[in-house]
Structures are given as structure tokens and as C-alpha cells.
Amino acid sequence: MSAAPSFSWPSDFVWGVSTSSYQIEGAAQEDGRGPSIWDARCRTRGKIADGHTGDVACDHYHRYPEDIALMKGLGLDAYRFSVAWPRVLPRGRGAVNEAGLAFYDRLIDGLLEAGIEPWLCLYHWDLPQALDDLGGWTNRDCAGWFADYAALVARRYGDRVKRWATFNEFSVFTLFGYAIDWGAPGVTDRAAHLRAIHHVNLAHGAGVDVLRATVKDASIGAVHNRQRVLPEKDTDEDRAAAALLDAHWNGAFPDPQLLGFYPALIAGEIEPYVAAGDMARICRPIDWFGLNHYGPIFAKPDPNGVWNFAWGADLSEAPRSDIGWPIYPEHFRDELLDLTRRFRLPVYVTENGAGGRDKPDADGRIDDRHRIRYLEAYTGAMREAVAAGADVRGYFVWSLLDNFEWGNGYNDRFGLVHVDFDTQRRTPKASAQWYADMIKGALGRRAP
Ligand code: IFM
């Protein structure tokens, strides 16, 4: 792929990194934080590689000044993080934890002092355990609990934070949490999954309304994972599995939120949970579309699954990332163009990056060329999409730091900065320098 020679990034293009609360904060039992469904999952034998937990993670709760300094060193415009609901409301509702709120005050103020814009995501999967005990997302009341939590956070930080996202990757946490058992709370039940989908959509709509009413000049978005879903084999059964997974993965949240309807393949099954007026409650105007994209996923039939699909493999010879994820930058380009046409919103790429098993060499350097190659290819594809008319306004690498990669524990590393989890020492990898150079304008944007 080659970009138009005259291309340069718009001067207000936002360059950032993304993280999430449970994956980096640690301090899981500190200063009044309540337990989340991920604390519980980490304590369930066999669910997380090597028995890892997020108890300490990157200890960002204590080391955030160092992490802000790292970001400043990279020349970032923006930092997307999530608030841990159980840190500010230990039981999910009711009593507020002032120490938890104060942590995010310090973080936000530190970012602003460093000239980095905070992008706050309300939910990156760490539902308070006390709410899960009441049914969690399968309980329709959870949408109201979320709205109350959103109001608390919006009132507290809305004077300083203008960029807000309701949720991160709706379809991942609902599908993995309620149908496949790859995530918390680890339920595998079709009705529970359908209810969770609809209630999370209602929560999104309610959250948007709260943010709009509470934060002056708010710029509100939602972060969706979208990638092409392909059949593992060229058979009718595999194609049917891929079509159904596609409806769940790519359609079940953006379509109702932005177009006002569920994808045809699942609409009939969700219908029993939809009350009069719900679609209008869900479909609220927002300001931007957050896209998380890595590479395509593959489907195959599974008669024993909650749905009739299972994850398939890419049987092609396509290149892979260090952890085996297939690399198709042209899909990324096409997705950015499709999004612009389908939803007519400015797009921010809120996650993109490559996982690896990065280790320091004898000199202590981490030469993660595999990640640089990936980022070059994907930002090149993004440049092509922008040149072809995609309305992309910013790009956030996943992730700043190596962190707790859910079921894979600390084994899969996505950071631009290496973390030694024994000592908590941070070491920028070669890719961090590459990204800093890109931001500085080495690849065409700003005067160095
Ligand atoms: O680590 C995750 C993140 O929490 C959500 N998006 C994908 C990342 C890499 O798997």
C-alpha cells in the first residue's frame, strides 16, 4: 500500500495511548475500593493464565506521576483511561468512596499539568461485584445504576474532562462474559446474554443523557470493537456461523445506538426484552465513534455453543503478530471508510496495537521491531483511509504499558513501555521512540 505523496496529518489530529483501570491500577484492596467481577474471576481457579491477578498490575495507582512523565516524554496529545466503578462506589451504588474519587482528581490534574488531554471512559469491564450479586447486566436496573454512577463521575470531573466515552468494547465483554466464558462474570446462557446486550445498550443511552446534562461542552462517544468476521472454511455452515458472530460482534451495539435497530439476525431474540420506548432511549446523539481494531476474527459452527458458533482459526498464510493475531492492515483501512459511510460520525481510533512476548536484551533494551512493523502498517492504512475520505480525527495506541491482559494474565504484552512486574521498573521499548518520532512530525505532521 502506498499513500498519496502530498498527504500530511491534519494539524489537530489527536495522538494518544489507551489503558484501562483493572489492567493497570492495582491497589485492588486499597483506600476503600470494592471488589469487581474481575477480582472474583481472578480468584476462580483455571480462568487466568498462571493464576495471575490484577491485584498489583502496573501499580499505576501509586506510580501514575511516573506514567504521566512517560506520556509527556512521548509528546502525546491525549490519554484514554477508565474509571474503576468499584473504586468510587465500592458497592456499585450508595456510599461514595472519597479516596477513590480523589485518585482520579490527582490523575486528571497531573495530565492537564503535563499538557495531555484526559479522555475518560466510564466502563472498561470492572463491574462492582455487589451489582453482579444482584444480576449485574442481566438485571434491567443495572442501566439506572450505571446512569447514577455516570452522574457522580461527570459532576466530579466535568469541569476538567471534556472527552467522555460511555463503554469500552460492548460486544467483547457481553459475549465473553455471558455466552463464552472468556471473561467475567463467566455466565454461559443465551437469555442472560440477550438481556445483558439490551441492558448495556440502555445504560449507554442513559449515560449519554447524563453526560450531556451534566458536563458543559462535553464531547461524548462510545468505544466499539469492530473487525471483519470471516468463515474459517468456505462452507455454508461456516458462513452462517460468521454471519451470526458478525451480528453480535459488529452490529449488536453500534446499530441500535446509532441507527435505532438491532441486526436482523438477533432482533427477534432480543425482542422479548425490549420495552416500549427503549430504542429511543438507546439511540441518543453522540459526537464521535471510537473504533478499537486489531485484525479480523474467524468463525466456525459449534452445535454445543450458547450460539451456534465458535472462534475459528485463520487458515491462510497471512502474517501474524508475536502472539499469533493475524495482520491485515487493508481491513483496517476499509473499516475506517465503512464507518464513515455507515454512521456519519467523526472516528477516533481508540485502540490499535500489537501483542508480544517482549523481553529486555542483555543491554536492557527492548527491540520490539514486530510492533513497529505493525504500527507502521496500520497507521499507513489509516493514512490511506483518511486520504480516501474517512473522517478519522485521532489515533490511540493500545497500550502505554504492558499490563494485565485478562485471561492471558501478564504473558501477552501490548505496551510501548515494558514493565518488569517484579520490580515495576518501566522501560520504553523501541516502539515508544518510533511513536514519539511519528508524533513529532518525522512522518509528516508537526515541526520537530
Ligand atoms: O487489553 C485489551 C483491552 O482491554 C480491550 N481491547 C483489546 C486489548 C488487547 O486484547
Side-chain angles (χ1 to χ4, degrees):
M1 286 186 293
S2 62
S6 60
F7 181 88
S8 62
W9 295 104
S11 61
D12 56 355
F13 198 87
V14 176
W15 296 101
V17 291
S18 289
T19 65
S20 90
S21 45
Y22 191 72
Q23 292 179 273
I24 65 166
E25 283 180 6
Q29 278 105 38
E30 226 173 297
D31 286 349
R33 176 187 176 278
S36 79
I37 54 175
W38 272 94
D39 296 285
R41 187 165 178 87
C42 288
R43 274 159 185 75
T44 310
R45 188 182 284 275
K47 297 298 184 195
I48 312 291
D50 301 326
H52 291 165
T53 76
D55 284 359
V56 178
C58 306
D59 195 29
H60 173 77
Y61 186 77
H62 299 110
R63 293 169 196 262
Y64 71 90
E66 183 182 351
D67 296 337
I68 292 173
L70 282 165
M71 288 189 260
K72 190 170 177 184
L74 295 180
L76 300 181
D77 297 316
Y79 173 54
R80 183 174 75 99
F81 65 98
S82 72
V83 169
W85 186 345
R87 196 177 287 291
V88 299
L89 286 166
R91 298 192 54 75
R93 55 193 184 141
V96 170
N97 181 28
E98 175 54 34
L101 285 169
F103 165 66
Y104 297 105
D105 277 329
R106 295 194 293 278
L107 175 64
I108 290 164
D109 291 345
L111 288 164
L112 292 171
E113 269 165 40
I116 299 167
E117 185 173 27
W119 286 52
L120 190 158
C121 179
L122 286 166
Y123 188 86
H124 198 127
W125 311 357
D126 40 2
L127 184 74
Q129 181 60 43
L131 299 185
D132 191 61
D133 295 341
L134 301 172
W137 292 114
T138 69
N139 184 337
R140 191 177 163 103
D141 290 344
C142 207
W145 301 331
F146 177 79
D148 292 345
Y149 155 64
L152 170 74
V153 176
R155 279 196 302 268
R156 178 76 172 219
Y157 310 120
D159 57 337
R160 289 156 288 163
V161 177
K162 298 299 169 189
R163 299 291 201 156
W164 294 78
T166 52
F167 284 80
N168 184 78
E169 294 187 2
F170 302 82
S171 59
V172 174
F173 80 83
T174 49
L175 188 64
F176 291 2
Y178 294 92
I180 298 188
D181 194 18
W182 283 350
V187 173
T188 49
D189 178 81
R190 194 156 171 152
H193 183 213
L194 289 161
R195 293 170 75 90
I197 291 172
H198 190 58
H199 299 154
V200 168
N201 272 323
L202 286 168
H204 160 81
V208 171
D209 287 348
V210 161
L211 292 171
R212 196 71 78 199
T214 314
V215 180
K216 189 165 168 285
D217 302 327
S219 169
I220 304 170
V223 174
H224 298 277
N225 53 289
R226 280 174 70 96
Q227 33 262 124
R228 210 174 284 177
V229 183
L230 299 169
E232 181 180 281
K233 299 203 186 87
D234 191 19
T235 65
D236 287 348
E237 293 75 19
D238 284 50
R239 276 192 291 276
L244 186 57
L245 177 53
D246 180 53
H248 278 289
W249 195 254
N250 292 319
F253 295 93
D255 285 1
Q257 290 173 18
L258 297 167
L259 305 176
F261 54 78
Y262 279 106
L265 283 181
I266 56 174
E269 294 213 48
I270 292 203
E271 193 57 38
Y273 309 105
V274 179
D278 276 3
M279 298 317 285
R281 289 184 188 102
I282 291 169
C283 186
R284 313 298 297 150
I286 59 170
D287 304 306
W288 49 271
F289 188 106
L291 171 69
N292 289 1
H293 182 103
Y294 292 85
I297 56 173
F298 293 80
K300 62 182 179 186
D302 179 6
N304 300 318
V306 165
W307 297 94
N308 297 334
F309 57 68
W311 245 244
D314 180 3
L315 303 178
S316 79
E317 299 295 310
R320 320 268 150 160
S321 74
D322 226 20
I323 58 164
W325 291 13
I327 299 178
Y328 288 80
E330 63 278 20
H331 290 194
F332 183 44
R333 175 199 59 207
D334 296 348
E335 183 63 56
L336 292 167
L337 287 161
D338 288 351
L339 278 184
T340 300
R341 283 190 286 263
R342 185 169 175 80
F343 299 116
R344 301 183 179 285
L345 280 174
V347 176
Y348 289 90
V349 177
T350 34
E351 282 186 27
N352 177 239
R357 296 279 152 79
D358 315 311
K359 284 197 190 81
D361 64 19
D363 299 323
R365 282 196 299 261
I366 299 104
D367 190 8
D368 56 340
R369 282 176 216 186
H370 70 94
R371 182 169 292 104
I372 294 175
R373 280 195 298 273
Y374 178 97
L375 294 174
E376 268 172 355
Y378 274 70
T379 52
M382 176 168 71
R383 196 165 53 187
E384 287 191 3
V386 172
D391 188 6
V392 186
R393 309 278 181 95
Y395 175 84
F396 292 68
V397 172
W398 182 270
S399 186
L400 174 66
L401 304 168
D402 293 339
N403 60 46
F404 177 76
E405 178 57 16
W406 308 113
N408 294 332
Y410 295 97
N411 302 323
D412 292 355
R413 294 171 175 268
F414 278 82
L416 296 172
V417 175
H418 181 270
V419 177
D420 176 329
F421 291 104
D422 293 330
T423 62
Q424 290 295 342
R425 185 183 151 92
R426 275 90 161 123
T427 309
K429 303 177 191 176
S431 58
Q433 186 59 52
W434 176 88
Y435 195 41
D437 288 345
M438 175 163 191
I439 294 171
K440 263 196 232 128
L443 299 182
R445 181 193 167 209
R446 291 173 186 150

